[in-house]
Amino acid sequence: MIKKIEHIGIAVSNLENSNLLFKKLFGEPHYKLENVESEGVSTSFFMIGETKIELLEATTPNSPIAKFIEKKGEGIHHIAYAVDDLDSEINRLTTEGFEFISKQPKDGADNKRICFLHPKSTNGILVELCEEKTK
Ligand code: ZN
């Protein structure tokens, strides 16, 4: 079951500059920086009340974030939903006819197992499903 929005991912071209910008906007600095090498991204996280914002900067030219910014410019990249059981949710949504970028869950930032639905099956929005890792 999808429980809530876990975070909103925003693609930025310069993480350092954007960390300063969002610190001004929120009045609070980011609480975490993390490199996700498998995705070719550097991330930072802000907590706004109960809402988490993830900034993503590409670390390689082949990174999905580099390609996104090239095509669309900076902006909202994905919406991540928290799920209890990622594998059963992948099965449920597959049965419902959704398409995935890859059905093989992988490690995401912030201690999560993650999986992305293909935007062509979700009205153009890249949807991330994430499950808190217990181990
Ligand atoms: Zn994310």
Side-chain angles (χ1 to χ4, degrees):
M1 197 182 72
I2 288 181
K3 295 190 297 185
K4 62 167 189 173
I5 291 180
E6 212 286 330
H7 62 269
I8 296 171
I10 299 174
V12 303
S13 43
N14 183 306
L15 192 61
E16 215 182 307
N17 291 348
S18 294
N19 280 338
L20 292 173
L21 177 75
F22 280 80
K23 181 186 171 188
K24 271 192 228 166
L25 179 66
F26 299 142
E28 294 265 354
H30 60 276
Y31 67 89
K32 185 172 187 171
L33 286 171
E34 192 174 343
N35 268 304
V36 187
E37 235 164 84
S38 59
E39 291 289 289
V41 295
S42 252
T43 66
S44 66
F45 287 92
F46 292 82
M47 204 69 204
I48 313 305
E50 294 181 357
T51 303
K52 197 189 282 175
I53 303 291
E54 173 185 38
L55 303 184
L56 306 113
E57 174 197 55
T59 52
T60 71
N62 290 328
S63 157
I65 295 300
K67 290 177 188 157
F68 177 87
I69 288 179
E70 205 176 289
K71 249 167 89 179
K72 300 187 174 175
E74 294 178 299
I76 293 182
H77 177 257
H78 63 271
I79 298 180
Y81 297 97
V83 302
D84 282 325
D85 181 340
L86 184 58
D87 302 298
S88 77
E89 207 54 20
I90 290 170
N91 288 336
R92 183 181 75 83
L93 295 173
T94 300
T95 307
E96 294 287 3
F98 289 94
E99 287 181 50
F100 288 77
I101 288 180
S102 161
K103 283 186 197 172
Q104 184 60 50
K106 51 192 175 182
D107 289 341
D110 210 24
N111 195 43
K112 300 287 192 294
R113 280 177 81 223
I114 64 168
C115 189
F116 287 97
L117 273 74
H118 199 288
K120 73 182 172 195
S121 65
T122 47
N123 284 169
I125 302 289
L126 179 60
V127 169
E128 175 185 346
L129 303 176
C130 54
E131 173 193 86
E132 189 81 24
K133 278 197 266 182
T134 45
K135 314 106 207 165

